[in-house]
Amino acid sequence: MRAKSAPLKPDAETPGIRTFSIAGRQLVAPKVAPGLHLVATPIGNLGDITLRALETLAGVDIIACEDTRITRRLTERFAITAVLKPYHDHNAAAARPKILEQLAAGASIALVSDAGTPLISDPGFKLVREVSAAGHRVVALPGPSSVLAALAVAALPTDRFYFDGFLPAKEAARRTRLAELARIDATLVMFESGSRIRESLRDLATMLGHRDAAICRELTKLHEDIRRAPLGELADAADALETRGEFVLVVGPPPADAGMMSSEDLDALLLASLKQSSVKDSVARAVEMSGRPRRQVYARALELAGQGRARGANDRR
């Protein structure tokens, strides 16, 4: 159902009426059918909200959101009077049963994230699983997504892509993860925070080698910034990078002639893995990721492990 286009009279006071406003024009929203409605919200520019999203947010009984302060900015912008309830990582276990009870009683509930499409790097998955298992309706309202927006502007192949969320915060774990991602024959999409963007760019250049990439900062916002270059160039310029804002990194697929992992990349993979795992486990992972013979990888792992022990002994003297 579409919103009625006729404006309400300014002095109308109809009990229970549901409305929203666009450019000063007040519109009536129909009551939304019972169920859980997954509503994509803008990732920056509030003008990216869809008409269907506004109708739904105005017409549901409850909006479940990560941060009520952030969602309230959106609802106030479009004059939506809604009941906002927090649903985030810290309260999800306690909040889910209450949401299920409300749905069982016939409520209509919208789930939104702070920005973008729900369930993409936010806690909605378990809620959708339990709501579906209970037999309630789940409806997706597509819309803004920073993953797709970054892919669209990165000027990199989009026929196959792999989204990996946020990279690990610690260098060793991050490099181990990047070694795993290096073998994926697809464009890679990752989120990163401003506090780690420089370190991550350097590790990306080290672990993934010569690939084209794009840094997408503050997508759809006033200070949107897109930088496209080979990873090595982006890493070399990392110190001059503005770190305020939110980042999406897009890295092109491995070149067709990538073949066997280079000696430098193999050493980086082994060193990162040896900090967390045994020689046996590190070798098994490196053989799988590098395409190199096990005997060669094992010999190099023993050599690197021995160097590490020798450095440790010297440090204790």
Side-chain angles (χ1 to χ4, degrees):
M1 292 179 67
R2 308 312 309 160
K4 296 180 181 179
S5 59
L8 293 177
K9 294 181 180 179
D11 59 349
E13 294 183 0
T14 306
I17 197 166
R18 299 159 185 267
T19 65
F20 62 98
S21 180
I22 300 178
R25 185 180 181 86
Q26 193 175 30
L27 304 173
V28 177
K31 174 71 169 70
V32 174
L36 182 66
H37 302 260
L38 312 177
V39 182
T41 55
I43 59 176
N45 191 322
L46 294 184
D48 290 336
I49 191 76
T50 69
L51 177 59
R52 186 183 175 204
L54 290 174
E55 291 177 347
T56 300
L57 294 177
V60 293
D61 299 310
I62 299 168
I63 300 176
C65 49
E66 286 185 87
D67 189 328
T68 57
R69 295 167 298 180
I70 292 175
T71 300
R72 187 167 287 113
R73 295 175 199 158
L74 177 66
T75 57
E76 289 180 348
R77 165 72 178 270
F78 295 99
I80 294 172
T81 301
V83 177
L84 305 183
K85 297 289 186 181
Y87 183 83
H88 48 69
D89 282 324
H90 303 295
N91 79 335
R96 275 195 300 274
K98 296 177 182 178
I99 292 176
L100 287 166
E101 289 177 6
Q102 291 162 331
L103 290 172
S108 56
I109 299 176
L111 177 69
V112 301
S113 63
D114 285 346
T117 301
L119 276 71
I120 306 302
S121 287
D122 76 35
F125 157 67
K126 292 181 180 178
L127 176 61
V128 170
R129 181 177 60 186
E130 293 189 22
V131 168
S132 299
H136 302 301
R137 187 182 183 211
V138 179
V139 182
L141 281 71
S145 166
S146 58
V147 175
L148 297 182
L151 274 169
V153 300
L156 293 167
T158 57
D159 54 334
R160 290 192 304 274
F161 68 90
Y162 184 89
F163 172 62
D164 199 54
F166 283 91
L167 291 171
K170 301 294 185 180
E171 179 182 333
R174 185 166 58 241
R175 289 196 170 202
T176 298
R177 181 59 185 149
L178 288 173
E180 296 168 353
L181 294 176
R183 308 298 294 178
I184 296 176
D185 185 19
T187 294
L188 306 176
V189 185
M190 295 153 280
F191 291 157
E192 192 50 279
S193 65
S195 62
R196 295 196 301 265
I197 186 65
R198 291 168 177 166
E199 292 78 7
S200 289
L201 283 171
R202 295 184 182 107
D203 286 343
L204 280 162
T206 298
M207 301 303 297
L208 301 187
H210 184 79
R211 298 196 197 184
D212 289 330
I215 304 172
C216 305
R217 186 178 73 88
E218 294 289 85
L219 284 168
T220 78
K221 299 178 183 177
L222 180 62
H223 299 291
E224 177 179 286
D225 183 20
I226 313 296
R227 302 191 181 194
R228 306 175 186 89
L231 274 174
E233 293 182 21
L234 293 174
D236 289 343
D239 285 340
L241 186 66
E242 170 61 69
T243 60
R244 289 175 294 181
E246 298 175 342
F247 293 81
V248 184
L249 302 175
V250 186
V251 180
D257 60 351
M260 192 177 295
M261 183 181 287
S262 69
S263 298
E264 293 78 8
D265 288 348
L266 175 63
D267 282 0
L269 170 60
L270 286 170
L271 287 169
S273 186
L274 286 167
K275 292 179 180 179
Q276 297 181 315
S277 307
S278 65
V279 170
K280 179 180 177 182
D281 290 342
S282 299
V283 168
R285 183 180 296 111
V287 169
E288 180 182 354
M289 299 297 165
S290 69
R292 287 176 174 264
R294 187 181 186 283
R295 179 179 298 178
Q296 181 185 99
V297 174
Y298 183 68
R300 185 55 178 159
L302 289 178
E303 184 177 352
L304 292 173
Q307 292 174 3
R309 287 192 293 269
R311 283 195 297 271
N314 288 334
D315 291 341
R316 291 191 294 270
R317 291 177 183 173

